[in-house]
Amino acid sequence: MIGQRVRELGDLYEREGARLWRAVFAYSQSRTITDDAVAEAFAQCMRRGDDVRDPRAWIWATAFRLAAAGLKERGRFLPLTEDHADRPDPVEAVHLMSALRRLPRNQRAVLVLRFYAGYGTDEIARVLGSSRATVRVHLSRGRRRLRDLLEER
């Protein structure tokens, strides 16, 4: 039973790990926070075993909550530093990350979860622990602000 759960989580990591890492990084803008949040989300899921009914959804939600806690603990937004520069990115991705960095944290989270992870309003509300109305407000304001920031270039 435990071996099967480990294999299932290993398969889930193979399918979702890189995508989840990129989404959490787009939100947190910190490699350290992202690495810790993703690893801890999988570790906690493994410890909880069969108590987690939908491991994929649980891990995504937990990784974002852990990243939010990491950002809050640091008490400020973390800008990109040289340790993030070793991955070659297309120019468009660099501009997008720069624009995302300028958004408030909640708007950034909602936009990443909607447009990168493909979550709907209800799922985003559950992940972030907020209401559907709040998610819709953050989506609307975040899209408008992101569009303005990208048009500035």
Side-chain angles (χ1 to χ4, degrees):
M1 188 72 148
I2 292 174
Q4 180 179 345
R5 183 61 160 193
V6 169
R7 280 191 300 280
E8 288 172 3
L9 287 175
D11 291 344
L12 180 62
Y13 182 80
E14 288 295 319
R15 286 190 318 271
E16 295 285 324
R19 189 165 186 250
L20 174 61
W21 190 96
R22 289 188 302 268
V24 174
F25 179 74
Y27 166 62
S28 72
Q29 303 284 302
S30 167
R31 262 194 140 150
T32 303
I33 288 174
T34 301
D35 288 344
D36 291 347
V38 171
E40 184 62 22
F42 275 93
Q44 285 184 20
C45 187
M46 189 172 298
R47 280 193 299 270
R48 289 176 183 259
D50 292 333
D51 291 342
V52 177
R53 284 186 252 162
D54 183 354
R56 180 186 180 273
W58 192 93
I59 286 171
W60 274 79
T62 301
F64 269 84
R65 284 191 194 116
L66 291 167
L71 287 171
K72 186 176 181 181
E73 183 178 304
R74 292 201 179 177
R76 62 183 177 80
F77 176 74
L78 297 172
L80 287 175
T81 59
E82 289 302 314
D83 71 330
H84 302 101
D86 61 291
R87 291 182 186 211
D89 289 326
V91 172
E92 295 82 19
V94 172
H95 293 309
L96 177 60
M97 292 297 283
S98 177
L100 282 170
R101 207 177 326 152
R102 295 174 60 191
L103 294 177
R105 195 178 309 164
N106 287 333
Q107 289 177 12
R108 190 168 57 239
V110 167
L111 290 174
V112 168
L113 287 169
R114 168 61 61 89
F115 297 107
Y116 183 76
Y119 283 156
T121 304
D122 290 336
E123 294 168 305
I124 295 168
R126 277 193 297 277
V127 166
L128 299 178
S130 59
S131 70
R132 295 179 71 227
T134 301
V135 168
R136 286 192 301 268
V137 168
H138 286 311
L139 271 171
S140 175
R141 290 180 181 168
R143 284 175 38 184
R144 189 175 324 120
R145 178 72 178 127
L146 184 61
R147 182 183 61 238
D148 292 345
L149 290 169
L150 291 172
E151 286 176 355
E152 284 177 9
R153 299 203 52 83

